[in-house]
Amino acid sequence: MAGKKKKVVLKNYVSGFPKLSDFEVVETDDAIRSVPPEGSEAVVVKNLYLSCDPYMRHLMSTNKEPLRMESFVLGEAIKGFGVSKVVASGHPDYQVGDYVWGFTGWEDYSLIDKPQALFKINHTADVPLSYYTGLLGMPGLTAYAGFYEKCSPKKGEYVYVSSASGAVGQLVGQFAKLMGCFVVGSAGSDEKVELLKSKFGFDEAFNYKKESDLNLALKRYFPQGIDIYFDNVGGATLDAVLLNMRNHGRIAACGMISQYNLDKPDGVYNLGTIISRRVEIKGFAVFDHYSHYPQFVETITQYVKEGKIEYVEDAAEGLENGPSALLELFDGRNVGKKLLVLDRE
Amino acid sequence: MAGKKKKVVLKNYVSGFPKLSDFEVVETDDAIRSVPPEGSEAVVVKNLYLSCDPYMRHLMSTNKEPLRMESFVLGEAIKGFGVSKVVASGHPDYQVGDYVWGFTGWEDYSLIDKPQALFKINHTADVPLSYYTGLLGMPGLTAYAGFYEKCSPKKGEYVYVSSASGAVGQLVGQFAKLMGCFVVGSAGSDEKVELLKSKFGFDEAFNYKKESDLNLALKRYFPQGIDIYFDNVGGATLDAVLLNMRNHGRIAACGMISQYNLDKPDGVYNLGTIISRRVEIKGFAVFDHYSHYPQFVETITQYVKEGKIEYVEDAAEGLENGPSALLELFDGRNVGKKLLVLDRE
């Protein structure tokens, strides 16, 4: 652990779309982080894979409302979910050599003071470690809890997923197909649309950027209406969906990426339909569902081994490419789950 | 049943605020309605009390979206909930002399072809028949189902009710107090605010027309935030509430009277908070809850007899005053449950 290491830092708080110049990759001396402080329960981890997730946009600003999490500290390594290996531990639950996933830093090594939400990985050769940044980690559990718990899906229901090729969306669509639902996804490029249909088994998919009227597009794909909308984008898409919900429909409000870079959010005008159609809109956050992680990981690992779930990653390499990898999320350049590889071990 | 009778008809479909000139009270020959058609299961009722309810605004327009109910037919008696007495019946469940409440016409006598949703009233002297237009009828069941089923209230929670002195709001507030909640209501006049505090036992109440910033008003009354919002108004009030919900809060979307007379609904901008705070917004409609009516009426009748529930009606007399009574709802002139008395029996 000797020598100079790198970290990705935020230089200034962001308004509007984040830019590469808002970030800096700086050299850091990790030596001081190589052992936990005497008597503490901290662990030190070597970071292997870092997860690029839309919620991180909130942490680039000082407005804490969106997630009520601490914003990034300027000049320090930004934070996010990642897969790491324990290299020193003062905590009885974590041993040197353990693979873990959880909230860590965008740097080579991180000191984690309070490892309560650090999940141990039961690593086996048939599932790549990187999957714990997505399919088997936070985004996977998000898809699982949001779809099965918040949407109460039933066989034969009509399901729409926005941002459908992303880390969460691709899984929601596949869960819905496994449940016997009719599933339509939208994404922002023809390449992604093709992926949804050919790889993930969506019944239909469309490029929302090519639709001049989302309401009409949804009426085309769902002439009978939508039972379940898994919302990753909010804004105008949510508004159009509200005109197309069926009676007793459910909307899982998972994310609103279309709104994250706006100074003033878009208005949503069609909420009146939730009364006439008795629709429920359910905001949720994955950390309320951590207790379901063991059941989740067992189920999904089995699905992966049986070939029932496909999963597409979009990996960038090295901390120096961290900022550009992260920013791809906000102009939709990533295809599949975006992550950053530091060390493939 | 001989002689000329009256009915309230809609002369033209309405856009914007409804006006008296949109309605007409006309004489009608009821003789043809005095017996059900041979072999049918229809009943003929004499209407005693008619209920003025906000949802009726939707039926004054041809846009069926808001409730997906049939609009009023121009020139025919408008429809609504009422308390009636059976005067002729082809249906085995209804006998001449039965008191019923359900969907009827704004006229002296109505022929009800399909009496499926006509509830029989077990009339006792200690509860006024008129209460079945409100407390013990559709609005009461709305309050009951919306509060207990949709809001999942718990003792000690913080509850906000808009349009709080109306037929539904006054009951929701009292149900919440019976549950041991802290309850604040808003209404559109100082007289109503006083009623909320002195008669219905709300902990606090405010005149929303005197507040220049609803968000700040809510922060004043709920420094700790809102667990449950029972929404009767939608629009800007809902938007301000979204900034003040607590984690895991619930919003029962019951009505949006602030929006009913607008050509374009107001935008709601703060939906992002439902993710960070894991809030659920639940649209509902009373007719999904009709099966709970027997349990409801038993519970609430007992509350009334024990003096645990107060109830305020605002009655107008005679069909000729029907249009003005109905329109009071939309400028908030009514104080308490608005109804029209045709015959006190």
Side-chain angles (χ1 to χ4, degrees):
Chain A
M1 279 179 272
K4 291 290 180 187
K5 299 294 180 184
K6 295 198 193 81
K7 61 180 175 181
V8 177
V9 306
L10 186 68
K11 286 162 63 184
N12 47 262
Y13 290 112
V14 174
S15 66
F17 274 80
K19 306 175 300 295
L20 279 179
S21 59
D22 295 322
F23 295 88
E24 196 169 21
V25 181
V26 297
E27 294 211 323
T28 178
D29 180 355
D30 278 297
I32 55 163
R33 316 195 100 192
S34 61
V35 288
E38 195 72 36
S40 85
E41 295 201 323
V43 301
V44 175
V45 298
K46 179 183 182 190
N47 296 309
L48 307 176
Y49 301 95
L50 295 172
S51 178
C52 302
D53 294 298
Y55 78 88
M56 296 170 75
R57 173 62 186 85
H58 299 309
L59 311 189
M60 300 175 200
S61 300
T62 49
N63 172 11
K64 292 190 176 59
E65 168 54 38
L67 275 176
R68 298 178 155 186
M69 289 170 68
E70 292 298 316
S71 303
F72 294 143
V73 178
L74 299 183
E76 291 189 13
I78 66 171
K79 303 279 191 181
F81 285 88
V83 171
S84 314
K85 187 177 187 176
V86 175
V87 295
S89 175
H91 195 289
D93 292 350
Y94 301 94
Q95 311 305 323
V96 171
D98 283 349
Y99 291 107
V100 294
W101 73 265
F103 210 59
T104 187
W106 281 45
E107 57 198 340
D108 294 284
Y109 293 87
S110 294
L111 176 74
I112 299 175
D113 287 331
K114 293 174 184 161
Q116 281 83 354
L118 217 51
F119 293 90
K120 285 172 79 164
I121 295 172
N122 179 20
H123 184 41
T124 56
D126 45 2
V127 178
L129 260 181
S130 62
Y131 279 23
Y132 290 88
T133 64
L135 176 63
L136 298 171
M138 184 279 286
L141 184 58
T142 300
Y144 184 84
F147 183 66
Y148 291 109
E149 289 189 36
K150 294 294 163 183
C151 298
S152 308
K154 290 185 285 293
K155 186 178 175 186
E157 288 195 314
Y158 297 89
V159 177
Y160 172 49
V161 186
S162 56
S163 208
S165 70
V168 174
Q170 58 176 275
L171 298 177
V172 171
Q174 292 180 88
F175 292 158
K177 285 310 300 174
L178 287 170
M179 174 68 70
C181 298
F182 175 83
V183 188
V184 179
S186 58
S189 76
D190 292 348
E191 178 188 6
K192 294 180 193 181
V193 166
E194 183 54 31
L195 195 65
L196 292 175
K197 291 196 280 193
S198 62
K199 179 96 177 173
F200 298 132
F202 283 61
D203 295 288
E204 292 286 352
F206 65 93
N207 180 345
Y208 72 89
K209 291 180 179 170
K210 288 186 168 174
E211 300 290 343
S212 57
D213 186 326
L214 276 172
N215 176 30
L216 293 183
L218 291 171
K219 284 187 166 43
R220 204 164 69 233
Y221 289 104
F222 295 100
Q224 66 300 95
I226 298 167
D227 292 300
I228 292 173
Y229 173 44
F230 197 99
D231 189 10
N232 291 309
V233 304
T237 304
L238 174 58
D239 218 11
V241 165
L242 289 170
L243 296 175
N244 289 281
M245 292 299 288
R246 302 181 88 185
N247 289 346
H248 305 290
R250 289 131 275 152
I251 297 175
C254 177
M256 298 192 174
I257 195 171
S258 74
Q259 305 299 295
Y260 295 166
N261 299 308
L262 305 180
D263 288 333
K264 187 187 179 191
D266 292 326
V268 171
Y269 298 90
N270 299 317
L271 282 168
T273 62
I274 70 171
I275 299 180
S276 52
R277 307 179 189 192
R278 294 92 86 202
V279 169
E280 298 195 345
I281 308 178
K282 302 177 176 188
F284 75 102
V286 65
F287 45 81
D288 289 331
H289 303 271
Y290 278 171
S291 65
H292 298 133
Y293 184 70
Q295 173 203 336
F296 155 79
V297 79
E298 186 182 324
T299 305
I300 306 305
T301 304
Q302 191 58 32
Y303 282 170
V304 172
K305 290 180 181 171
E306 292 170 4
K308 287 183 178 170
I309 291 273
E310 297 287 341
Y311 183 59
V312 171
E313 295 182 325
D314 182 343
E317 305 276 338
L319 279 167
E320 59 279 13
N321 293 312
S324 64
L326 183 54
L327 298 194
E328 282 190 20
L329 296 175
F330 303 104
D331 54 14
R333 268 178 295 145
N334 61 305
V335 178
K337 165 62 193 168
K338 191 77 204 179
L339 70 146
L340 191 65
V341 181
L342 303 196
D343 188 334
R344 291 185 190 276
E345 280 269 307
Chain B
M1 281 178 272
K4 291 291 180 186
K5 300 294 179 182
K6 295 196 192 81
K7 61 180 175 181
V8 177
V9 305
L10 186 68
K11 286 161 63 184
N12 48 261
Y13 290 112
V14 174
S15 67
F17 273 82
K19 307 175 299 295
L20 279 179
S21 59
D22 295 322
F23 295 87
E24 196 168 22
V25 182
V26 299
E27 294 210 324
T28 178
D29 181 354
D30 277 298
I32 55 164
R33 314 197 100 191
S34 61
V35 288
E38 195 73 35
S40 84
E41 294 202 323
V43 300
V44 176
V45 298
K46 179 184 182 190
N47 297 309
L48 308 177
Y49 301 95
L50 295 172
S51 178
C52 302
D53 294 298
Y55 78 88
M56 296 170 75
R57 173 63 186 84
H58 299 309
L59 311 189
M60 300 175 201
S61 300
T62 49
N63 172 11
K64 292 190 177 59
E65 167 54 38
L67 275 176
R68 298 179 154 186
M69 288 171 68
E70 292 298 316
S71 303
F72 294 144
V73 178
L74 299 183
E76 291 191 11
I78 66 172
K79 303 278 190 182
F81 285 87
V83 171
S84 314
K85 187 177 187 176
V86 175
V87 295
S89 174
H91 195 290
D93 292 350
Y94 301 93
Q95 311 305 322
V96 171
D98 283 351
Y99 291 107
V100 293
W101 74 265
F103 210 59
T104 187
W106 282 44
E107 58 198 339
D108 294 283
Y109 292 88
S110 294
L111 176 73
I112 298 175
D113 286 332
K114 293 175 184 161
Q116 281 84 352
L118 216 51
F119 293 89
K120 285 171 79 164
I121 295 171
N122 179 20
H123 183 41
T124 55
D126 46 3
V127 179
L129 260 181
S130 62
Y131 278 23
Y132 290 87
T133 64
L135 176 63
L136 298 171
M138 184 278 286
L141 184 59
T142 300
Y144 184 84
F147 184 66
Y148 291 109
E149 290 189 36
K150 294 295 163 184
C151 298
S152 308
K154 290 185 286 293
K155 187 179 174 184
E157 288 195 315
Y158 296 90
V159 176
Y160 172 49
V161 186
S162 56
S163 208
S165 70
V168 174
Q170 60 176 275
L171 297 178
V172 171
Q174 292 180 87
F175 292 157
K177 284 310 299 175
L178 286 170
M179 174 68 69
C181 299
F182 176 82
V183 188
V184 179
S186 59
S189 76
D190 292 348
E191 178 189 7
K192 294 180 194 181
V193 166
E194 183 53 31
L195 195 65
L196 292 176
K197 291 195 280 193
S198 62
K199 179 97 178 174
F200 298 131
F202 283 61
D203 295 288
E204 292 285 352
F206 65 93
N207 181 346
Y208 72 89
K209 292 180 179 170
K210 289 186 168 173
E211 299 291 342
S212 58
D213 186 325
L214 277 172
N215 176 30
L216 292 184
L218 291 172
K219 283 187 167 42
R220 204 163 70 233
Y221 289 105
F222 295 99
Q224 66 300 95
I226 298 168
D227 293 299
I228 291 173
Y229 172 45
F230 197 99
D231 189 10
N232 291 309
V233 304
T237 303
L238 173 59
D239 217 11
V241 165
L242 289 169
L243 296 175
N244 289 280
M245 292 300 288
R246 302 181 88 184
N247 289 346
H248 305 290
R250 289 131 275 151
I251 297 176
C254 177
M256 298 192 174
I257 196 172
S258 74
Q259 305 298 295
Y260 294 165
N261 299 308
L262 305 180
D263 289 334
K264 187 186 180 192
D266 292 326
V268 171
Y269 298 90
N270 300 316
L271 282 168
T273 62
I274 70 171
I275 299 179
S276 53
R277 306 180 189 191
R278 294 92 86 201
V279 169
E280 299 194 350
I281 307 178
K282 302 177 176 188
F284 74 102
V286 66
F287 46 82
D288 290 331
H289 302 271
Y290 278 171
S291 65
H292 299 132
Y293 184 70
Q295 173 203 337
F296 155 78
V297 78
E298 186 182 323
T299 305
I300 305 306
T301 304
Q302 191 57 33
Y303 281 170
V304 172
K305 290 180 183 173
E306 293 171 3
K308 287 183 177 170
I309 291 274
E310 297 287 341
Y311 183 58
V312 171
E313 295 182 325
D314 181 343
E317 304 276 339
L319 279 166
E320 60 279 12
N321 293 313
S324 65
L326 183 53
L327 298 195
E328 282 190 20
L329 295 175
F330 302 104
D331 54 14
R333 269 178 295 146
N334 62 306
V335 178
K337 166 61 193 169
K338 191 76 203 181
L339 71 146
L340 191 65
V341 182
L342 304 196
D343 188 334
R344 291 185 192 275
E345 280 268 308

